[in-house]
């Protein structure tokens, strides 16, 4: 098969526009990926390549990519009242948490909404757990996340890295904290390991 590469990507309110350069066909194809996560641009590139290997037309590949839906807990979006929720609770490694924070910052800037990170523990990161949680708090502050609410064994480390935030002791307190402290029309990213 021919070589393909990612030519560019741009995120708007609901999707990423992906340019795929197909060197074999000497053309650039534009796909719309309904996701706020920029790593899904790379996934679209792989989907295109696999589709071409299987003999699927560019048009049908584009339709398939455009109909992409995140699985529950992997960046799925929904509304509760005036809050826009991004559910990314399937898993939380350091790298996926970092990318989720960056995506929240980018997305909330585009839609001009107040950004809130609701963070639980990242599991399976071993003896670096305290340091990694503190780093995620720092990254959230660096990228302009407006508010941090955390729950779990490492919530104090997250707050330390963020230089603020609210650490709570139960899921019920997470909900109470949101209702009492988060402005209406905010976008909330929930990130944790199941």
């Amino acid at each position: 098969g021919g070589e393909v590469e990612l030519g560019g990507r741009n995120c708007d309110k609901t999707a990423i526009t992906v340019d795929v350069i197909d060197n074999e066909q000497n053309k650039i194809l534009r796909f719309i990926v309904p996701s706020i996560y920029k790593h899904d641009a790379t996934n679209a590139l792989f989907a295109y390549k696999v589709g071409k290997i299987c003999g699927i037309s560019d048009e049908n590949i584009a339709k398939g990519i455009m109909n992409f839906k995140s699985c529950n807990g992997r960046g799925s979006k929904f509304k509760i009242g005036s809050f826009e929720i991004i559910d990314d609770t399937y898993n939380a490694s350091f790298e996926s948490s970092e990318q989720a924070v960056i995506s929240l910052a980018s997305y909330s800037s585009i839609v001009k909404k107040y950004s809130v990170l609701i963070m639980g523990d990242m599991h399976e990161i071993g003896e670096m757990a305290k340091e990694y949680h503190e780093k995620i708090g720092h990254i959230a502050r660096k990228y302009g996340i407006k508010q941090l609410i955390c729950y779990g064994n490492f919530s104090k480390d997250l707050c330390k890295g963020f230089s603020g935030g609210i650490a709570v002791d139960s899921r019920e307190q997470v909900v109470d904290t949101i209702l009492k402290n988060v402005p209406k029309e905010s976008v909330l990213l929930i990130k944790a390991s199941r």
Side-chain angles (χ1 to χ4, degrees):
E3 291 296 315
V4 296
E5 59 188 277
L6 193 59
R9 56 188 172 190
N10 183 31
C11 187
D12 72 11
K13 291 182 180 183
T14 59
I16 302 166
T17 303
V18 179
D19 290 335
V20 174
I21 301 168
D22 187 328
N23 294 318
E24 184 176 87
Q25 296 184 48
N26 198 25
K27 63 181 176 179
I28 298 175
L29 302 142
R30 179 160 284 168
F31 297 109
I32 307 298
V33 183
S35 172
I36 65 161
Y37 287 125
K38 292 192 176 189
H39 64 264
D40 282 329
T42 304
N43 294 339
L45 176 70
F46 289 123
Y48 173 76
K49 181 66 176 172
V50 169
K52 293 314 290 179
I53 290 169
C54 293
I56 300 171
S57 71
D58 292 345
E59 181 181 331
N60 284 334
I61 293 171
K63 284 180 188 175
I65 291 171
M66 203 163 15
N67 287 319
F68 165 79
K69 296 220 184 319
S70 297
C71 300
N72 288 341
R74 290 195 181 261
S76 51
K77 292 190 320 185
F78 56 93
K79 286 195 75 128
I80 296 179
S82 70
F83 299 121
E84 184 173 0
I85 311 293
I86 303 168
D87 175 8
D88 199 350
T89 56
Y90 183 82
N91 195 12
S93 68
F94 175 77
E95 294 80 7
S96 71
S97 297
E98 179 180 36
Q99 289 306 307
V101 167
I102 293 168
S103 293
L104 171 62
S106 173
Y107 180 70
S108 63
S109 173
I110 290 165
V111 297
K112 299 185 181 357
K113 290 187 176 183
Y114 188 86
S115 57
V116 180
L117 173 62
I118 301 167
M119 183 84 189
D121 288 344
M122 295 179 282
H123 293 168
E124 301 173 20
I125 53 177
E127 60 191 43
M128 301 293 290
K130 288 176 75 91
E131 181 181 337
Y132 282 162
H133 283 84
E134 190 173 327
K135 280 185 178 181
I136 291 298
H138 176 74
I139 290 165
R141 174 64 69 197
K142 174 183 166 187
Y143 280 91
I145 301 305
K146 303 295 183 202
Q147 192 168 5
L148 171 69
I149 300 168
C150 34
Y151 164 67
N153 296 326
F154 298 99
S155 55
K156 288 182 178 41
D157 303 298
L158 283 158
C159 287
K160 181 180 176 185
F162 191 72
S163 299
I166 302 170
V168 298
D169 296 319
S170 70
R171 291 180 182 152
E172 293 75 25
Q173 286 180 338
V174 170
V175 173
D176 289 343
T177 302
I178 291 167
L179 295 175
K180 290 177 184 171
N181 298 289
V182 175
K184 303 265 188 257
E185 304 299 324
S186 295
V187 59
L188 290 69
L189 169 71
I190 305 171
K191 184 68 177 167
S193 294
R194 290 172 279 159

